[in-house]
Amino acid sequence: MASRSTDSRTGGGGTSPTIDAVSLAIIEQLQEDGRRPYAAIGKAVGLSEAAVRQRVQKLLDQGVMQIVAVTDPLTVGLRRQAMVGINVEGDLDPVADALTAMPECEYVVMTAGSFDLMVEIVCEDDDHLLEVINRRIRTLPGVRSTESFVYLKLKKQTYMWGTR
């Protein structure tokens, strides 16, 4: 299970649904195996299958989580990944919205510090990455500068942070 919803992780300022211990336990069960049967989850958390089904649906409806297949980009032909730091003049929202609309941009976050935005990009190869950065990101109105951090080797990628 992976959560990549932009609205559910506002980092403050927005209202977030309250998640109780049982819902966290259900999320943890699904993070271990997103296809785990509701009956097995119910047994582990002390609820009926129907109660688990209702809670899972509520968590999905609230945008707390998504249940998705997570792939290894290399195995599906996406051989180049990079994190790109972007500095923007003026309002960040239009630039962030434009990046969010690009299919290669898997992760877009507004930050404090050296960069205004950080964007994770997944591409087929170096030529594709160059095209995205040079012709599509750097040409966006408001983009002042970019700095690219090309991934050499992915050592850890986990989506378990939701229940720590």
Side-chain angles (χ1 to χ4, degrees):
M1 188 199 85
S3 177
R4 292 272 186 166
S5 173
T6 57
D7 295 335
S8 66
R9 301 183 316 169
T10 59
T15 58
S16 297
T18 303
I19 308 301
D20 66 11
V22 175
S23 290
L24 286 174
I26 291 169
I27 292 169
E28 194 170 73
Q29 290 284 311
L30 289 168
Q31 285 178 323
E32 290 174 10
D33 178 359
R35 295 173 39 155
R36 183 165 287 155
Y38 291 150
I41 294 171
K43 189 178 278 189
V45 302
L47 293 177
S48 69
E49 178 179 350
V52 170
R53 184 178 313 281
Q54 288 176 341
R55 282 190 180 237
V56 167
Q57 191 57 54
K58 184 176 179 183
L59 292 167
L60 293 168
D61 292 346
Q62 291 177 330
V64 172
M65 68 176 192
Q66 299 173 7
I67 300 173
V68 299
V70 177
T71 61
D72 176 354
L74 291 174
T75 63
V76 294
L78 300 170
R79 305 201 178 288
R80 179 55 67 213
Q81 292 177 273
M83 186 66 69
V84 179
I86 302 170
N87 286 308
V88 175
E89 272 181 356
D91 190 1
L92 299 179
D93 282 318
V95 177
D97 291 343
L99 294 166
T100 300
M102 293 181 193
E104 295 88 354
C105 296
E106 294 292 327
Y107 183 77
V108 178
V109 62
M110 294 178 182
T111 63
S114 298
F115 300 104
D116 297 313
L117 299 166
M118 294 291 292
V119 182
E120 183 178 39
I121 300 175
V122 180
C123 293
E124 295 169 8
D125 53 30
D126 288 337
D127 289 335
H128 186 193
L129 179 62
L130 178 61
E131 185 268 326
V132 170
I133 293 171
N134 195 45
R135 294 205 172 97
R136 293 172 46 208
I137 293 177
R138 287 182 177 159
T139 61
L140 290 172
V143 171
R144 187 175 58 214
S145 64
T146 65
E147 186 173 345
S148 302
F149 303 89
V150 174
Y151 296 5
L152 298 176
K153 183 175 185 178
L154 182 63
K155 293 292 285 185
K156 180 179 181 181
Q157 181 175 3
T158 180
Y159 296 99
M160 301 300 282
W161 40 262
T163 59
R164 276 192 272 153

